[in-house]
Amino acid sequence: MVNSRTPLIAGNWKMNGLLGDGRARAEDLAKRMQGAANPGFEMLLCPPATLIAGTAAAIEGSGLLLGGQDCHFNSGGAHTGDISAAMLADFGCSHVIVGHSERRADHGEGDDLVRAKATAAIEAGLIAIICAGETEAQRDAGKTNDVVAAQVRGSVPDGADGSQMVIAYEPVWAIGTGRTPTEAEVQDVHAMIRATLAEVTNDATAQSCRILYGGSVKPDNAAGLLALADVDGGLVGGASLAAADFWAIAAAIG
Ligand code: 13P
């Protein structure tokens, strides 16, 4: 972690939660955030679409940030079941996740589509959290860097700067499994992503863009992962569903 980049701890609630528990979790975190004089990090909640309005009400005035888990690449129109970036912004969202591996797998999303979604997000004034990560088979074949670099090259919109996007490195095999790469492996991939960003954008963007690690981040491994030079925060799934665990992960930032 480098001081010039404010750490971002993002909770991806995925397809979990009904009105009651989502609201209780958001209220709990809002209280913790309000009680933290100088937290030294940004904390972002990305609930499912049905919980965005309730979460917005629960965190109002707390300093917590709100984000969506996906958006359409168009600004509106005949797209049944989809949500536009402008609709997310309308509810007070500042961020949206695009290209999560679960969407790449469940919905066949490829880099071109992810880039179009990130572009739509930025046009709507949102920060796009662009996800990339290798499968276990790709890792075993020694292709991690090639795969992740190609996803970053293919998914980052032309001209995007470090205030408009965040990259999340999430090895697919580490998501929800309790397994993570070693800290040295995480740092190597993050440094490679930053070098790739410098190639496809410019040095200033590469230096200012936050790169989050995601995949089985828990209170007991957070301090080591978040201290790495090119890790600027975490994208947390399972552990973001318990307010105390999620807060403990953020509090692990040294
Ligand atoms: P877990 O923290 O449950 O491994 O999920 C990570 C993730 O996919 C966040 O987007």
Side-chain angles (χ1 to χ4, degrees):
M1 190 162 317
V2 166
N3 285 341
S4 57
R5 296 187 291 265
T6 305
L8 174 65
I9 304 297
N12 176 7
W13 295 1
K14 307 192 179 182
M15 196 172 71
N16 292 295
L18 301 177
L19 280 176
D21 51 314
R23 192 169 181 108
R25 184 184 310 131
E27 282 172 354
D28 183 327
L29 289 164
K31 273 199 208 104
R32 292 172 193 263
M33 195 69 176
Q34 277 167 324
N38 226 335
F41 54 80
E42 293 178 350
M43 179 171 272
L44 168 69
L45 309 184
C46 298
T50 52
L51 300 188
I52 287 177
T55 304
I59 67 173
E60 201 180 345
S62 69
L64 288 174
L65 303 170
L66 187 62
Q69 297 179 8
D70 179 50
C71 67
H72 198 273
F73 63 90
N74 271 322
S75 57
H79 302 288
T80 302
D82 277 308
I83 294 174
S84 74
M87 291 171 181
L88 295 173
D90 196 30
F91 269 103
C93 290
S94 51
H95 293 66
V96 62
I97 300 167
V98 293
H100 192 282
S101 61
E102 288 152 12
R103 291 207 62 88
R104 289 179 187 260
D106 291 355
H107 300 272
E109 296 191 1
D111 292 337
D112 288 348
L113 180 57
V114 175
R115 189 209 299 254
K117 289 182 176 205
T119 301
I122 291 168
E123 278 170 4
L126 298 179
I127 297 171
I129 301 179
I130 301 168
C131 302
E134 81 286 1
T135 63
E136 184 150 35
Q138 290 164 336
R139 170 184 162 89
D140 290 346
K143 293 192 172 141
T144 297
N145 280 0
D146 290 349
V147 168
V148 174
Q151 287 177 340
V152 170
R153 281 202 187 91
S155 306
V156 167
D158 289 340
D161 69 32
S163 68
Q164 297 171 313
M165 66 176 168
V166 169
I167 308 294
Y169 169 53
E170 298 205 313
V172 178
W173 55 272
I175 294 176
T177 61
R179 296 162 58 209
T180 65
T182 65
E183 289 172 6
E185 287 169 337
V186 171
Q187 168 55 27
D188 281 355
V189 176
H190 279 232
M192 182 281 296
I193 291 172
R194 206 174 297 286
T196 305
L197 278 176
E199 271 170 40
V200 296
T201 60
N202 54 56
D203 280 341
T205 296
Q207 285 310 313
S208 61
C209 185
R210 287 174 292 181
I211 305 176
L212 312 184
Y213 170 76
S216 295
V217 178
K218 307 288 176 200
D220 61 358
N221 63 15
L225 290 165
L226 296 174
L228 299 168
D230 284 294
V231 174
D232 307 307
L235 181 54
V236 184
S240 75
L241 297 174
D245 284 351
F246 191 47
W247 188 261
I249 288 169
I253 292 171

